[in-house]
């Protein structure tokens, strides 16, 4: 089974009216990282100052980045796998799904949310932010 672990940065908290500014993908197979890929993405609007402060991604950084539409053939290959995995999976998945849909490209994957998974496997931890989980599980 191949897990496609995804993390994105965006111009805001909801897919409607916001865009992806960065996509990072790691393929995990047999408990090993077998491939990594990432790209900045040029959004259709400027990145709000509070989002620039949060993500560290500025308008200047994405000025010459590819637009989502031009990344589609590559993204379709990068997203090949059995399960789309993300921390708070619906956030990342919904942005990518909407971007594909706006480009009239069908896309779908099974999903796994690492927050929901961690709550079931480690109920004693209590706080499931990525930073807290990494600290509790001693993952650098």
């Amino acid at each position: 089974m191949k897990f496609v672990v995804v993390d994105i940065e965006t111009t805001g908290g909801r897919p409607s009216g916001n865009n992806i500014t960065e996509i990072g993908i790691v393929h995990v197979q047999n408990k090993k990282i077998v491939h990594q890929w990432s790209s900045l993405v040029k959004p259709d609007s400027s990145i709000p100052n509070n989002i620039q402060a949060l993500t560290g991604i500025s308008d200047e950084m994405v000025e010459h980045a590819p637009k989502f539409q031009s990344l589609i053939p590559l993204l379709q290959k990068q997203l090949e796998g059995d399960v789309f995995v993300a921390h708070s999976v619906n956030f990342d998945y919904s942005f990518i799904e909407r971007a594909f849909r706006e480009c009239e490209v069908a896309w779908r994957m099974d999903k796994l949310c690492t927050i929901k998974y961690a709550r079931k496997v480690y109920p004693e931890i209590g706080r499931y932010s990525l930073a807290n989980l990494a600290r509790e599980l001693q993952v650098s």
Side-chain angles (χ1 to χ4, degrees):
M1 179 171 288
K2 180 163 67 171
F3 295 94
V4 181
V5 183
V6 179
D7 187 37
I8 65 169
E9 300 300 339
T10 66
T11 59
R14 299 184 188 274
S16 179
N18 290 296
N19 298 108
I20 298 168
T21 58
E22 184 177 32
I23 302 174
I25 297 173
V26 174
H27 294 180
V28 178
Q29 200 163 14
N30 300 319
K31 300 180 184 179
K32 292 187 173 134
I33 294 173
V34 295
H35 179 72
Q36 297 180 59
W37 176 86
S38 67
S39 179
L40 290 171
V41 181
K42 184 174 183 170
D44 293 334
S45 59
S46 64
I47 303 169
N49 289 335
N50 63 319
I51 300 295
Q52 289 187 45
L54 178 69
T55 65
I57 300 171
S58 66
D59 287 329
E60 294 77 23
M61 291 172 66
V62 297
E63 184 177 352
H64 299 292
K67 289 198 161 266
F68 186 88
Q69 187 166 0
S70 68
L71 287 171
I72 287 175
L74 182 56
L75 270 173
Q76 286 174 309
K77 279 194 142 334
Q78 294 300 323
L79 292 169
E80 285 178 357
D82 298 301
V83 182
F84 181 103
V85 180
H87 204 66
S88 193
V89 73
N90 288 332
F91 177 85
D92 300 76
Y93 191 95
S94 65
F95 269 91
I96 293 172
E97 180 182 46
R98 182 197 52 89
F100 272 125
R101 190 174 54 249
E102 285 183 353
C103 295
E104 299 180 356
V105 174
W107 175 77
R108 186 189 172 290
M109 287 183 76
D110 289 336
K111 301 180 282 186
L112 179 113
C113 179
T114 56
I115 292 175
K116 288 180 182 178
Y117 183 78
R119 282 184 180 137
K120 287 181 181 177
V121 176
Y122 304 105
E124 70 281 1
I125 290 179
R127 291 183 49 234
Y128 298 93
S129 70
L130 199 51
N132 193 60
L133 281 172
R135 187 173 40 260
E136 289 285 335
L137 300 174
Q138 300 176 353
V139 176
S140 57

